């Protein structure tokens, strides 16, 4: 088989030769392959911050525990330090007193970073429409995936993380 | 091992350092913030800052009908929603003067004890995790998932169940469910032994727990401690025995007591409480088998929701359902205090009714909040690393502390 590129067939370059391998890749081959590799790595090792605010945190722990085993998706390494994390799962009610803290944790995380609003409270305030509760954490920082439920089942959180994984490959790395 | 761990202050250093712990910290069980004053590595002052999870539960109670408030109690001590539901509906029932059926009594007893086991399992898992034992966390959660399955089959939700109703329960139990509970109970003691094998002789665990966070019986009473933390200081007080409610009087079980009042004593009390809960569950399940043909709910359509399938067929039931859903039932003017022994301690509801369909005021005596106040007393003189074990042994739930 001879190599075919956008410019047409290149005669004399046969499969298995080193020229074939070098020339097979399209233009900007290096950056394209590299960004794919980086996206693959990022997608499959999203480390979340260990941030449990209320009830949802228990389900988040349940997701990481033996039955649901979040490590199948590469996200079981909960980091207490935001500087080592890629993902912030806001699990629980964000009160107005807690909001600056959540924002600060978000700011402290290194880029690239993603946010999952887990549960009704962090998505929209949930059942607490009162003076002390923030009506949705998208008021303080951007949110990538909303996971509904009060609290969401571990399956729902895993689905949310899988949705996030789908997004991660699509954005340009460079 | 039994060396005195509290370090005496031989000198007062010129400068103390203050260290902020939380609200985002892996071992503060949520959003607790503790500001520590340190002399070197020794804690000289520990101030709790609360309110990071204040969700105005008590205010909600004034704007929701009695049935509508039940889901809010789930999210108070979210490790044992069944106990909270029970505590709340018992207060409303007391104000109404309603007697629940015998079958409902057994069902509530069984579910409250399952909730206690589930709550203690989480305490065990996270407490051990904070002291470095990962395996126990995974094993404890495996057991918890089995309890969640049981809750899901009977209540429809595995976590926030909202299962109890004023005058009964949301829906009755059935044969297959009881078999499921029996299967869980049959294997639980095996798992319990495994936990003890992992921890009771574990050198690291013992060193982190023995003689840490000591509180004497007198101090515990003056601080208002309740639950396992109180019983670990040698005080024999358990609301289930001392002011019996539900079916605890009928069953054969004991109140575990330890005298040392340190973290290890609190650990031992909780571990034995799980055994006792297991005993109660077995007896309650037998009692449920015996009463399986009796109704679980009271026969008063003005209070309890009619079965959903009847609502679609019968005019009477439709009217009752509509009235309960739109307006709720009215409670005669009363002031009642009703308390239960929740997994964390004495959980009390003080209900003031002015005769309307909503509470005039609902005050909650939450055990976690009051237990947490003894944190400073327990931690002074210990090192920074010990406060992790002390918080874990107090087992506060911030949803209940801030409400």
């Amino acid at each position: 088989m001879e190599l075919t590129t956008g410019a047409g067939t290149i005669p004399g370059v046969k499969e298995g030769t080193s020229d074939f391998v070098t020339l097979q890749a399209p233009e900007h081959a290096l950056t394209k392959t590299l960004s794919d590799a980086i996206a693959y790595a990022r997608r499959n090792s999203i480390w979340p911050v260990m941030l449990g605010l209320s009830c949802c945190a228990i389900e988040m722990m349940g997701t990481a525990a033996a039955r649901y085993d979040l490590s199948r998706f590469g996200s079981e390494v909960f980091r207490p330090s935001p500087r080592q994390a890629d993902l912030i799962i806001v699990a629980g009610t964000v009160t107005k007193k807690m909001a600056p803290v959540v924002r600060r944790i978000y700011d402290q995380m290194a880029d690239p970073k993603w946010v999952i609003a887990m549960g009704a409270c962090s998505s929209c305030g949930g059942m607490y429409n009162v003076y002390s509760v923030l009506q949705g954490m998208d008021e303080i920082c951007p949110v990538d995936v909303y996971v509904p439920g009060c609290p969401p089942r571990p399956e729902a959180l895993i689905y949310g993380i899988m949705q996030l994984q789908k997004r991660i490959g699509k954005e340009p790395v460079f | 091992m039994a060396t005195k761990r509290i370090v005496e202050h031989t000198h007062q250093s010129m400068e103390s350092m203050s260290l902020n712990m939380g609200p985002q910290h892996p071992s503060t069980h949520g959003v607790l913030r503790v500001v520590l004053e340190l002399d070197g590595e020794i804690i000289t002052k520990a101030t709790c800052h609360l309110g990071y999870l204040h969700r105005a539960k008590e205010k909600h109670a004034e704007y929701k009908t009695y049935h509508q408030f039940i889901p809010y109690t789930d999210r108070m001590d979210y490790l044992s929603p069944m106990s909270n539901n029970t505590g709340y509906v018992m207060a409303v029932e007391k104000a109404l003067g309603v007697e629940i059926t015998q079958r409902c009594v057994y069902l509530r007893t069984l579910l409250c004890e399952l909730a206690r086991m589930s709550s203690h399992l989480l305490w065990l898992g996270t407490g051990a995790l904070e002291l470095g034992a990962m395996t126990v966390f995974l094993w404890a959660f495996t057991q918890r998932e089995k309890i969640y399955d049981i809750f899901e089959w009977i209540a429809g939700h595995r976590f926030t169940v909202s299962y109890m109703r004023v005058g009964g329960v949301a829906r009755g139990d059935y044969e297959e469910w009881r078999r499921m509970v029996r299967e869980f109970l049959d294997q639980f003691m095996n798992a319990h032994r495994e936990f003890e094998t992992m921890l009771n002789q574990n050198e690291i665990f013992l060193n982190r727990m023995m003689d840490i966070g000591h509180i004497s019986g007198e101090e515990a009473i003056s601080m208002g401690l309740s639950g396992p933390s109180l019983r670990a200081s040698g005080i024999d007080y358990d609301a289930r025995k001392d002011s019996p409610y539900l079916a605890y009087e009928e069953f054969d079980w004991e109140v575990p007591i330890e005298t040392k009042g340190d973290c290890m004593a609190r650990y031992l009390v909780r571990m034995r409480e799980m055994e006792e809960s297991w005993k109660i569950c077995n007896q309650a399940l037998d009692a449920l088998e015996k009463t399986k043909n009796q109704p679980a709910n009271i026969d008063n359509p003005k209070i309890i929701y009619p079965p959903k399938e009847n609502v679609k067929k019968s005019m009477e039931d439709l009217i009752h359902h509509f009235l309960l859903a739109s307006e709720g039932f009215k409670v005669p003017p009363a002031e009642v205090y009703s308390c239960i022994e929740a997994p964390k301690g004495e959980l009390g509801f003080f209900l003031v009714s002015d005769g309307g369909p909503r509470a005039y005021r609902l005050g909650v005596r939450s055990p976690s909040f009051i237990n947490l106040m003894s944190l400073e007393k327990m931690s002074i003189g210990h090192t920074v690393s010990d406060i992790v074990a002390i918080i874990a042994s107090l087992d506060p739930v911030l949803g209940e502390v801030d409400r």
Side-chain angles (χ1 to χ4, degrees):
Chain A
M1 183 196 151
E2 288 187 325
L3 182 71
T4 310
T5 65
T9 310
I10 304 172
V13 181
K14 293 277 189 256
E15 191 175 358
T17 60
S18 60
D19 283 353
F20 184 90
V21 178
T22 320
L23 291 170
Q24 186 189 30
E27 272 182 293
H28 309 298
L30 190 65
T31 50
K32 173 76 178 112
T33 339
L34 193 60
S35 56
D36 276 354
I38 289 173
Y40 174 80
R42 280 180 180 165
R43 203 164 42 230
N44 293 297
S45 61
I46 317 172
W47 289 7
V49 195
M50 198 185 259
L51 173 69
L53 297 177
S54 60
C55 332
C56 287
I58 309 298
E59 287 296 67
M60 188 170 75
M61 282 155 73
T63 316
R67 185 187 280 187
Y68 294 99
D69 195 12
L70 193 55
S71 60
R72 291 176 296 158
F73 304 91
S75 298
E76 86 285 11
V77 196
F78 282 88
R79 306 314 297 182
S81 160
R83 302 193 196 280
Q84 302 166 348
D86 313 304
L87 166 67
I88 173 167
I89 302 176
V90 185
T93 315
V94 187
T95 55
K96 284 178 184 162
K97 190 170 181 180
M98 193 64 194
V101 183
V102 176
R103 175 70 210 195
R104 187 163 182 177
I105 293 167
Y106 175 78
D107 287 341
Q108 282 174 338
M109 285 163 66
D111 276 325
K113 53 192 171 188
W114 297 278
V115 182
I116 289 182
M118 181 184 182
C121 292
S122 58
S123 299
C124 65
M127 55 201 277
Y128 303 102
N129 189 4
V130 281
Y131 57 88
S132 62
V133 175
L134 198 72
Q135 299 300 302
M137 66 154 303
D138 41 14
E139 288 181 18
I140 51 166
C141 66
V143 178
D144 290 283
V145 178
Y146 296 90
V147 182
C150 189
R153 296 178 59 93
E155 290 97 327
L157 179 61
I158 289 176
Y159 183 71
I161 288 175
M162 285 165 74
Q163 292 298 102
L164 184 66
Q165 285 179 334
K166 279 185 193 162
R167 284 185 63 146
I168 286 176
K170 289 184 180 147
E171 62 215 16
V173 176
F174 296 106
Chain B
M1 198 169 294
T3 50
K4 197 157 184 260
R5 294 287 292 271
I6 295 183
V7 182
E8 303 290 341
H9 286 278
T10 47
H11 66 282
Q12 192 69 40
S13 61
M14 295 300 285
E15 272 182 62
S16 67
M17 185 178 88
S18 63
L19 180 73
N20 182 48
M21 184 179 174
Q24 186 251 346
H25 188 277
S27 58
T28 49
H29 288 232
V31 286
L32 172 65
R33 176 173 168 223
V34 189
V35 177
L36 303 168
E37 289 283 329
L38 300 174
D39 177 11
E41 211 188 344
I42 310 300
I43 296 165
T44 53
K45 198 176 171 201
T47 318
C48 292
H49 288 247
L50 308 175
Y52 288 96
L53 194 52
H54 176 63
R55 299 186 278 190
K57 293 269 168 65
E58 294 178 2
K59 198 69 193 164
H60 269 112
E62 297 165 20
Y63 288 88
K64 303 278 173 193
T65 63
Y66 290 101
H67 269 137
Q68 280 175 340
F69 187 67
I70 293 172
Y72 287 89
T73 60
D74 282 337
R75 289 149 182 88
M76 225 174 262
D77 173 4
Y78 40 77
L79 303 180
S80 56
M82 286 288 185
S83 304
N84 295 313
N85 284 178
T86 310
Y88 172 67
V89 298
M90 275 172 64
V92 181
E93 280 158 8
K94 196 172 174 183
L96 277 170
V98 166
E99 280 280 322
I100 54 170
T101 63
Q102 194 59 29
R103 183 168 178 71
C104 179
V105 165
Y106 293 137
L107 203 49
R108 282 185 187 177
T109 314
L110 172 63
L111 289 167
C112 280
E113 290 311 305
L114 282 174
R116 188 183 314 278
M117 282 155 99
S118 141
S119 168
H120 284 358
L121 279 169
L122 188 118
W123 153 82
L124 177 72
T126 53
L129 184 69
E130 279 148 22
L131 304 181
M134 184 86 190
T135 316
V136 181
F137 168 76
L138 294 174
W139 289 358
F141 261 78
T142 309
Q143 292 299 315
R144 268 175 69 80
E145 289 293 341
K146 288 176 185 170
I147 299 179
Y148 275 169
D149 282 348
I150 292 170
F151 287 170
E152 187 175 1
W153 275 67
I154 198 166
H157 200 304
R158 52 184 246 125
F159 187 77
T160 39
V161 287
S162 304
Y163 179 64
M164 304 299 169
R165 294 286 183 273
V166 178
V169 291
R171 51 184 81 74
D173 63 322
Y174 46 94
E175 191 70 46
E176 203 184 342
W177 181 78
R178 287 195 294 273
R179 206 162 45 239
M180 192 174 176
V181 181
R182 183 74 71 193
E183 268 169 32
F184 165 75
L185 292 175
D186 286 347
Q187 57 84 49
F188 179 75
M189 283 318 283
N190 231 343
H192 189 272
R193 266 192 295 280
E194 280 179 348
F195 297 139
E196 292 199 321
T197 324
M198 285 292 281
L199 296 174
N200 282 13
Q201 302 295 320
N202 186 329
E203 190 83 8
I204 302 170
F205 187 75
L206 290 178
N207 272 318
R208 301 270 327 249
M209 297 289 268
M210 297 272 268
D211 298 313
I212 302 291
H214 182 267
I215 191 158
S216 71
E218 270 177 32
E219 283 170 332
I221 292 175
S222 67
M223 300 294 290
L225 276 179
S226 59
S229 310
L230 176 69
R231 292 192 284 275
S233 298
I235 308 296
D236 184 1
Y237 174 77
D238 188 321
R240 291 174 289 173
K241 281 273 187 210
D242 294 304
S243 52
Y245 58 98
L246 294 181
Y248 290 112
E249 236 176 344
E250 290 174 36
F251 299 147
D252 175 34
W253 61 285
E254 286 162 17
V255 180
I257 306 285
E258 287 285 331
T259 47
K260 275 189 80 180
D262 58 355
C263 289
M264 192 66 193
R266 289 191 278 278
Y267 159 78
L268 290 170
V269 165
R270 286 204 178 87
M271 289 305 271
R272 276 180 53 212
E273 260 190 16
M274 274 197 263
E275 276 178 52
E276 299 300 325
S277 290
W278 177 79
K279 279 189 208 167
I280 299 172
C281 281
N282 273 315
Q283 294 170 58
L285 201 55
D286 292 339
L288 270 182
E289 288 288 350
K290 277 179 205 146
T291 55
K292 67 180 168 189
N293 295 320
Q294 295 174 14
N297 290 347
I298 54 163
D299 185 22
N300 185 350
K302 301 277 181 236
I303 291 173
I304 198 114
Y305 276 85
K308 189 71 187 171
E309 58 269 20
N310 295 3
V311 174
K312 292 169 186 163
K313 292 176 202 155
S314 138
M315 191 65 206
E316 285 284 299
D317 283 336
L318 180 66
I319 292 168
H320 284 135
H321 186 275
F322 177 75
L323 276 178
L324 278 173
S326 59
E327 192 190 318
F329 57 83
K330 292 193 167 98
V331 172
E335 276 187 30
V336 292
Y337 176 77
S338 156
C339 73
I340 64 160
E341 185 73 22
K344 310 285 181 301
E346 185 185 320
L347 172 69
F349 286 89
F350 178 65
L351 179 72
V352 183
S353 163
D354 59 354
R358 295 173 187 85
Y360 178 76
R361 173 87 175 89
L362 181 81
V364 185
R365 185 226 186 263
S366 65
S368 295
F369 172 68
I370 295 162
N371 288 359
L372 192 63
M373 293 306 112
S374 59
L375 178 70
E376 182 167 23
K377 203 167 206 94
M378 286 181 186
S379 50
I380 285 176
H382 290 295
T383 58
V384 185
S385 57
D386 291 332
I387 197 160
V388 173
I390 295 170
I391 294 176
S393 78
L394 274 173
D395 192 18
V397 173
L398 271 291
E400 198 181 48
V401 173
D402 294 332
R403 297 194 289 282

